[in-house]
Amino acid sequence: MRLTVSDFHCDALSKLQLNPKLNFASSRKLDVNLRRMKQGGVRLQCFAIYLSEKLGTSRYGYVQEQIDLFYHHIVRLGVRPIGFVEDLEELEQSQGIGGLLSIEGADGLEGNLDHVRESYERGVRILGLTWNYANWAADGILEPRNGGLTPAGRNLVKLCHELGIILDVSHLSVRGFWELQELAAAAGRPFIASHSNAFSVCDHVRNLRDDQIEALISLGGRIGLTFVPWFVKKGRNPSSEDLLPHIEHVCALGGADHIMFGSDFDGIESHLRHLRHAGDYAKFQEMLLKHYPEGLVRGWLSGHAAAFLCDWLPLRKKAL
Ligand SMILES: [Zn+2]
């Protein structure tokens, strides 16, 4: 048996930007490439637009360049861009592979809401306000002052809600999280954490506290448990089984139907044992099925992600 997989975060586009000679079809330097996606049963992958610190500055031109790379390197190979609910339905019927564009950190949008609208037009459907540090929209989780959203950041959140861009709280400061949560609750729009684990299980600052996970659940959001080794377990050489306590913990908080996965493949230099690239989702699935019934595993691997996107991606019909 092979269940399908949806993964809500990888940094393959950032690697392609730094080295455009990499071949998305099969380069072994890419944790996520087409061959590995097929091997692991990954049917839907979110490709984050993350501007590497190696680029020096966060310019909008770099965001546009990664969108171009998505179409030229990934869509060209037959990966279907997913921007609307109808695309998901077609993907389901075609048995194809889909790709979704997200932006990790609003830095490159340069505070210009026209850039946000243009990015949406070109397919971006998920936005994390920050990476680890402060930008024009909000503070990231590593800013010691723990600032929240700026006035411009609040306008950005409102625009995303209007356009139908899903907001992502991974990397956001704690204060920013709660300010965003308030705006999201008022708008009746859930948000996601695309790649974060449970702080109660592994006390890394990038993981979410119980009250944050509960707030995300109560709005109907999703938490993409992530494979970054040091967000999974402190100590040496953690393995994919060390994710189980995170799953258990989110379930105990009432979130069994809100779990998905966001690997952070291509954004990490070291990996969990038995979970080193997209192809290893096949082994990961077997491991999960040893511990949990198929219905639960199916939901975590793809069902909850798909249901969320069906509810919150825009409809193409309506857009016309
Ligand atoms: Zn990240």
Side-chain angles (χ1 to χ4, degrees), residues 64-83:
Q64 290 173 304
E65 193 175 272
Q66 286 199 35
I67 296 176
D68 291 341
L69 288 165
F70 173 68
Y71 289 103
H72 294 161
H73 286 249
I74 299 174
V75 172
R76 190 178 58 80
L77 294 175
V79 173
R80 299 164 77 105
I82 304 297

Side-chain angles (χ1 to χ4, degrees), residues 229-242:
W230 48 99
F231 299 178
V232 172
K233 191 185 178 189
K234 299 222 162 140
R236 270 204 211 153
N237 215 4
S239 80
S240 60
E241 292 210 320
D242 291 312

Side-chain angles (χ1 to χ4, degrees), residues 166-314:
I166 295 159
L167 291 162
D168 181 356
V169 298
S170 288
H171 288 285
L172 189 57
S173 66
V174 173
R175 183 160 165 209
F177 174 99
W178 290 110
E179 291 181 2
L180 174 60
Q181 189 271 343
E182 208 170 289
L183 294 174
R189 297 191 69 93
F191 52 84
I192 64 169
S194 64
H195 57 306
S196 295
N197 291 336
F199 186 87
S200 291
V201 177
C202 176
D203 63 350
H204 189 286
V205 70
R206 271 277 287 101
N207 289 336
L208 295 178
R209 271 65 168 185
D210 288 356
D211 55 352
Q212 294 180 302
I213 296 173
E214 284 167 346
L216 175 147
I217 291 168
S218 73
L219 275 182
R222 295 289 185 271
I223 177 165
L225 297 179
T226 190
F227 307 161
V228 182
W230 48 99
F231 299 178
V232 172
K233 191 185 178 189
K234 299 222 162 140
R236 270 204 211 153
N237 215 4
S239 80
S240 60
E241 292 210 320
D242 291 312
L243 277 160
L244 296 176
H246 292 274
I247 293 175
E248 286 293 318
H249 190 75
V250 176
C251 288
L253 294 173
D257 295 340
H258 301 261
I259 292 173
M260 53 182 194
F261 295 106
S263 60
D264 213 358
F265 284 141
D266 291 309
I268 43 180
E269 299 290 325
S270 65
H271 297 89
L272 294 175
R273 265 185 298 129
H274 314 305
L275 200 42
R276 297 177 180 281
H277 56 71
D280 283 344
Y281 262 114
K283 280 190 277 182
F284 183 53
Q285 175 185 134
E286 279 171 33
M287 187 277 287
L288 290 175
L289 286 169
K290 274 186 211 155
H291 293 86
Y292 298 103
E294 187 195 322
L296 280 178
V297 175
R298 191 183 290 275
W300 299 335
L301 284 174
S302 68
H304 302 152
F308 185 84
L309 291 173
C310 277
D311 284 346
W312 297 106
L313 279 181

Side-chain angles (χ1 to χ4, degrees), residues 29 50 54 114 150 189 249 280:
K29 289 186 177 159
Y50 164 70
K54 290 178 191 155
D114 284 338
T150 65
R189 297 191 69 93
H249 190 75
D280 283 344

